[in-house]
Amino acid sequence: MKNFPVFVFPVSLEFYLNARHTHKQLLTVYNPYDFSVNFKVLCTSPNKFTVIDPEGIIAPQSCIDIVVRYTQPSIAHCNTTEKFRITMFDRNTQQALGKRDVPTKLIEGEPSNTNPESLGDNFHPLATKAAPIRPSEEHSRVICNHPLHHREQQPINVVAVAVSICCIAALLLPTQPEQVVKSQWPEWLHIGSSLKLVFAFVLGLVSMLVLRP
């Protein structure tokens, strides 16, 4: 026999004597491999159980449900462990690939609805409603998301401001070709028209840099 893992869920079965709905349960056998396999179900006490379709074929990467019914529940059979064995076979050679044993037990009484994992801890459901936003938080969120706020937070470019002032001052100076009678400006402060165009162009670039969002 090869040692292929056989995947079965659940790993054990529990039948309850006084709960008839537990006398019929499902065993799911998985075939995660890329080839079809044959399966066969055996039991240590076949007189106590009925298995519908105890053998068959499982397609690649598929699963199959096996119906197991406890047919002779009695107080004499309680707390006795029986076993089901699921064996997989190669479809071509009929060689056994692997097996899995599933223990079963008939328990006196009825199943308890208490989850043993939750004992000792006091768990409560969480509220799904979003917490209300305080007025101060709402105001701060609006300010942070406003584009003007980002502009105000940007540091002022001192160099750009200085260049803008120099360009404005140069544009206010008299033009060189003008003949000003008794001018209060010295001749060296008179600049040409082409130079004023350069200052105006620089002032426009600096203004776009400073005023852009």
Side-chain angles (χ1 to χ4, degrees), residues 78-132:
C78 289
N79 299 322
T80 300
T81 301
E82 313 291 350
K83 289 183 180 181
F84 287 98
R85 172 167 293 181
I86 294 93
T87 307
M88 283 187 174
F89 299 89
D90 187 290
R91 291 198 62 192
N92 298 323
T93 63
Q94 293 302 313
Q95 181 182 5
L97 300 177
K99 63 181 179 180
R100 172 61 63 90
D101 290 345
V102 179
T104 68
K105 181 182 292 187
L106 179 64
I107 301 174
E108 186 177 359
E110 297 183 359
S112 174
N113 294 327
T114 304
N115 185 3
E117 296 181 358
S118 62
L119 297 179
D121 294 310
N122 190 14
F123 290 100
H124 301 279
L126 297 175
T128 57
K129 184 189 298 184

Side-chain angles (χ1 to χ4, degrees), residues 110-167:
E110 297 183 359
S112 174
N113 294 327
T114 304
N115 185 3
E117 296 181 358
S118 62
L119 297 179
D121 294 310
N122 190 14
F123 290 100
H124 301 279
L126 297 175
T128 57
K129 184 189 298 184
I133 301 176
R134 294 193 296 270
S136 59
E137 295 179 354
E138 184 177 3
H139 179 67
S140 63
R141 291 186 183 183
V142 173
I143 292 178
C144 291
N145 292 330
H146 199 280
L148 294 178
H149 177 74
H150 293 286
R151 186 192 303 177
E152 293 175 358
Q153 294 298 325
Q154 294 178 354
I156 300 176
N157 195 330
V158 180
V159 177
V161 174
V163 172
S164 301
I165 295 175
C166 293
C167 292

